Amino acid sequence: MQTVVLGTSGTTPQDVIDVARHGARVELSTEAVRALAAARAVIDALAAKPEPVYGVSTGFGALATRHISHELRAQLQRNIVRSHAAGMGPRVEREVVRALMFLRLKTVASGHTGVRPEVAQTMADVLNAGITPVVHEYGSLGCSGDLAPLSHCALALMGEGDAEGPDGELKPAGELLAAHGIAPVELKEKEGLALLNGTDGMLGMLIMALADLDTLYKSADITAALSLEALLGTEKVLEPELHAIRPHPGQAAAAANMLAVLKGSGLTGHALAGEAPRVQDAYSVRCAPQVAGAGRDTMAHARLVAERELAAAVDNPVVLADGRVASNGNFHGAPVAYVLDFLAIAAADLGSIAERRTDRLLDKNRSHGLPPFLAEDAGVDSGLMIAQYTQAALVSEMKRLAVPASADSIPSSAMQEDHVSMGWSAARKLRTAIGNLNRIIAVELYAATRGIELREGLTPAPASRAAIDALRAAGVAGPGPDRFLAPDLAAADAFVSAGRLVAAVEPVTGPLA
């Protein structure tokens, strides 16, 4: 099993994905353990002083004015975890919780939080045992971090609440810890607060979204190329010279991908005999690189934000290198929230243009010779009419999901926390949007491949042929009489989601950008 070693200087997107999705083990480096011990010594020294220090010897949020005596501080730390574990609604996905826990451990390992080494080791042990605390959909405002989600994770470290074991069975967390030989932690000064105070949930979802979108944008370039072929469009608009004079890197990459897929095609160039000459294709075909490219450039900005956040130590207060313990606002999720919303907007537009190409394939007045709805016997057969309805419904929801969560704020904690990011909400809706985008691309793939196969006597590009053959081998049927469509669409959805469309094409085209 792969092992990810955490030091003091952050981690990588691939490490997050390996731990969250692939169960990689987590270890603390010697450097991290030393940094943890050094920061804890600073907290212990402050805890021994009579002067109040926020998070060490005071209450929290609007209750920070109360100085807490020594004998009540362990109770204070337990109480903050218990009271903040107030999430509601459905459970979030296992991979999200694992990313959340790993990223909180990343910040703890930085040596800026004052958490003891043994608490950090317990966090790693819980991850390595495959124990996943129950975290709920609702509870985070994305400021003071993802408080409720992180609290549910901290609660499991204390042996309280419920968690899922490696076998998928839900049990009391204390039972699962005991079964794996893990002792529950007894939290000391500042540790409860340090386990709750981060952007870890929204950041984990951002990193996984970027990985998923990387595959989906390549898939969308492929389906756009297939639609261009099925519509007998021209590939001349994809020439690199045209994209060099508008130097957006994402646009150039998308055009190059489409051109690579179309290489050797016998369907391009407006060559349908007997049809009135076409000067140019519709926007949904001609402008595919511009739309997909803008999304790629949005992703590039989002990656930059994610990389900066991965290098960050997000907590309040923090232990600085010079020994000071300083309050700050670094837990505010605005940087992450904004890009989560940007990505949802870009994904909605990509889904929208894909749906317009699908609709064009199904309309006999605009498809340049294809049968109505790509049906075998139009009128007796409905073909893909309702597949496009489903796609349109998904696009409509994508547009609603593109409304920014980060444009909202709602005050909390008796107006102490009076401006919040709503970044967790932005991340949750982006996950839904990505699932919808995958389905939209799958419907375009289903329609475009059928359209190409209905062009009898014309030869598709070798890359297109490879995509069609792989899709048919996956059990997705080609042209023919009406059949129960939902299983075909589900199989196409799984085909795209697993990256099999990209995998089918790249041996012909070479790696897509």
Side-chain angles (χ1 to χ4, degrees), residues 78-306:
R78 287 193 301 272
N79 285 351
I80 190 176
V81 173
R82 289 169 176 166
S83 65
H84 286 44
M88 295 182 73
R91 290 172 56 191
V92 303
E93 304 82 359
R94 182 176 185 270
E95 65 177 25
V96 172
V97 180
R98 286 185 62 82
L100 176 76
M101 296 167 67
F102 175 67
L103 288 168
R104 182 76 319 227
L105 179 57
K106 177 268 300 181
T107 281
V108 166
S110 71
H112 288 293
T113 68
V115 169
R116 287 169 294 151
E118 51 265 42
V119 175
Q121 185 58 55
T122 301
M123 296 170 75
D125 292 343
V126 168
L127 280 166
N128 294 339
I131 297 170
T132 307
V134 170
V135 173
H136 299 279
E137 181 79 18
Y138 304 107
S140 174
L141 299 179
C143 201
S144 285
D146 292 317
L147 285 173
L150 283 163
S151 297
H152 283 276
C153 294
L155 195 69
L157 295 177
M158 293 164 47
E160 300 180 21
D162 293 324
E164 181 185 299
D167 59 359
E169 187 175 350
L170 201 64
K171 292 182 178 178
E175 287 184 21
L176 288 169
L177 295 183
H180 289 85
I182 301 171
V185 297
E186 291 285 344
L187 298 175
K188 293 190 174 182
E189 291 94 344
K190 195 184 177 300
E191 289 181 331
L193 186 62
L195 295 179
L196 318 185
N197 226 337
T199 55
D200 309 295
M202 63 183 94
L203 176 59
M205 286 186 274
L206 171 60
I207 289 164
M208 290 186 285
L210 286 167
D212 294 337
L213 286 169
D214 184 67
T215 298
L216 282 176
Y217 270 83
K218 292 174 185 175
S219 300
D221 290 340
I222 296 168
T223 58
L226 294 171
S227 291
L228 186 151
E229 277 191 294
L231 292 165
L232 304 178
T234 178
E235 80 283 14
K236 293 186 183 300
V237 295
L238 305 173
E239 292 174 352
E241 295 83 1
L242 292 171
H243 299 278
I245 62 175
R246 193 190 191 193
H248 295 288
Q251 176 180 323
N257 284 349
M258 289 181 66
L259 202 57
V261 172
L262 292 169
K263 185 176 181 181
S265 175
L267 286 87
T268 58
H270 303 164
L272 186 64
E275 187 186 39
R278 260 185 284 166
V279 175
Q280 52 192 7
D281 294 312
Y283 283 11
S284 60
V285 177
R286 188 176 7 137
C287 302
Q290 284 76 10
V291 172
R296 274 189 167 79
D297 293 341
T298 300
M299 288 172 61
H301 172 60
R303 281 195 190 93
L304 177 62
V305 172

Side-chain angles (χ1 to χ4, degrees), residues 27-46:
E27 292 182 2
L28 297 170
S29 70
T30 302
E31 171 201 26
V33 173
R34 281 199 299 263
L36 283 159
R40 185 63 208 179
V42 173
I43 296 299
D44 286 340
L46 287 172

